[in-house]
Amino acid sequence: MDDTRHDDETVGDIANALLVLANVGYGDFDSRVNTQLSTDTPLGALLVGIDEMLDALQAERERSQKYQRELEEKLDTIARQREAIRELSSPIIEVWEGVLCVPIVGVMDSARSAETTETVLRAVAEKGSECLIIDITGIDVMDTRTVDHFVKMARAVRLLGAQCVLTGVTPSIADTVVQMGLDFSGIDTERSLREGLKRYVARASA
Amino acid sequence: MSKGVSIREKLDVFHARQHVRGLAGQLGFGHIAREELAIVASELATNILKYAGVGELEFRTVEDPVRGAGIVIEARDAGPGIENFSFAVRDGYGGSGPLDPAKLLTRGGIGAGLGAVVRMTDALEYEYEAGNKCVRATRYVRPERRDVT
Ligand SMILES: Nc1ncnc2c1ncn2[C@@H]1O[C@H](COP(=O)(O)OP(=O)(O)OP(=O)(O)O)[C@@H](O)[C@H]1O
Ligand SMILES: [Mg+2]
């Protein structure tokens, strides 16, 4: 130890360093020891070393926080896009040989119903499917004209030799159908997609 | 309070829907009304893409002394415009007359978009000026009382 320095000065420096380290423990990487001691003395070298280590730690932490933020932003964007993709497309899934399923998410507007009709009729004709399940779980509102169009589409599907099943019809859509006096004959409805699958997959595999 | 959503591609139709759902929720519209407004926004935005290519949907809240709070959706574009609006709002009609029913299943539209907008809103207007065509749809939170004598 440097004997020209008073002991309490040394104690003060050490206390200061401990405080800075305690701050780091609480997540505050901003404070520094800022010692007056020269690095020629062992204590000075230690204290300056602590500050240098803190500089490096802080830089590293900022880098990782920035990375974390970017990662979260990207995940956010992906989640939003996934939702958009689900709403903007109506994929046709062949759940079983001869059984096609179209899950529709989001809204059923006129463009969507026209698109669905086109893809569905093409798929049924190409694959010669026996059954087409359209799942509208989560669609709570359809315009009367759209429902009417759905009925027409289902009839066209039947003309192609396949059975058309509508699953997930909510009470409010069922209301629309009743209020409109629409004719649902020729279209099977099932409460849920699960029910529909159970019935038609069993039939197709029998 | 008003906000514009520019309509350039299909994804923007989704944004317009999301926006009107949020706004309707804040104003106190119920779930069904909110989904109906989403369809309205969808139809207006899709028409912009289909017939004008680009345009904008603007969303505003209104406070009518009689009808109370509501949402105004203005769909603006600088496309060719709707030749005959009273034709266009009829189901199975295009802007210049009836559509060929034989082609309805596959023409990429069933000719009922604006019809749905009429059914799902309280007021619908069309403004036609050179360079600015605007379809304005209004829907109030409180349903219209039809039993007033
Ligand atoms: N922004 C617009 N610019 C020019 N013409 C339009 C515009 N919006 C609608 N129209 C015209 O009004 C007609 C009716 O529109 P509507 O949305 O009711 O039916 P659609 O777009 O033909 O079919 P759907 O909406 O059922 O897919 C359209 O056929 C088109 O001629
Ligand atoms: Mg349309």
Side-chain angles (χ1 to χ4, degrees), chain A residues 87 107 109-110 140 143 149, chain B residues 17 31 42-43 110 119:
Chain A
E87 275 211 15
V107 295
D109 54 12
S110 63
D140 293 328
D143 178 50
H149 184 74
Chain B
R17 275 207 298 268
H31 173 71
S42 228
E43 297 295 354
I110 58 178
R119 284 181 284 277

Side-chain angles (χ1 to χ4, degrees), chain A residues 110-111, chain B residues 43-44 46-47 50-51 109 111-114:
Chain A
S110 63
Chain B
E43 297 295 354
L44 295 177
T46 307
N47 280 353
K50 240 161 99 174
Y51 305 108
L114 287 176

Side-chain angles (χ1 to χ4, degrees), chain B residues 66-122:
Chain B
V66 180
R67 298 296 312 268
I71 287 183
V72 179
I73 307 175
E74 286 189 355
R76 273 192 292 270
D77 64 61
I82 305 176
E83 208 181 304
N84 184 328
F85 194 63
S86 52
F87 275 164
V89 295
R90 282 164 72 171
D91 293 334
Y93 273 64
S96 50
L99 298 167
D100 180 356
K103 296 201 180 108
L104 274 192
L105 269 183
T106 48
R107 71 177 273 279
I110 58 178
L114 287 176
V117 171
V118 170
R119 284 181 284 277
M120 292 171 174
T121 55
D122 294 309

Side-chain angles (χ1 to χ4, degrees), chain B:
Chain B
M1 173 173 59
S2 95
K3 158 150 174 124
V5 174
S6 65
I7 306 296
R8 287 187 223 94
E9 49 167 338
K10 236 177 139 185
L11 191 60
D12 298 329
V13 181
F14 169 77
H15 289 142
R17 275 207 298 268
Q18 289 300 73
H19 181 73
V20 81
R21 279 184 178 125
L23 188 59
Q26 281 168 28
L27 267 185
F29 279 98
H31 173 71
I32 298 288
R34 218 156 58 214
E35 287 308 298
E36 287 183 349
L37 280 164
I39 291 181
V40 169
S42 228
E43 297 295 354
L44 295 177
T46 307
N47 280 353
I48 288 178
L49 286 185
K50 240 161 99 174
Y51 305 108
V54 292
E56 189 195 42
L57 248 61
E58 192 184 305
F59 302 88
R60 269 186 290 125
T61 54
V62 279
E63 185 65 44
D64 184 86
V66 180
R67 298 296 312 268
I71 287 183
V72 179
I73 307 175
E74 286 189 355
R76 273 192 292 270
D77 64 61
I82 305 176
E83 208 181 304
N84 184 328
F85 194 63
S86 52
F87 275 164
V89 295
R90 282 164 72 171
D91 293 334
Y93 273 64
S96 50
L99 298 167
D100 180 356
K103 296 201 180 108
L104 274 192
L105 269 183
T106 48
R107 71 177 273 279
I110 58 178
L114 287 176
V117 171
V118 170
R119 284 181 284 277
M120 292 171 174
T121 55
D122 294 309
L124 186 64
E125 297 156 278
Y126 186 57
E127 259 167 36
Y128 188 114
E129 289 158 27
N132 182 28
K133 283 92 183 180
C134 170
V135 180
R136 183 183 307 113
T138 309
R139 166 99 184 225
Y140 297 101
V141 178
R142 244 188 307 126
E144 193 169 14
R145 286 189 55 186
R146 296 175 202 275
D147 56 345
V148 184
T149 44

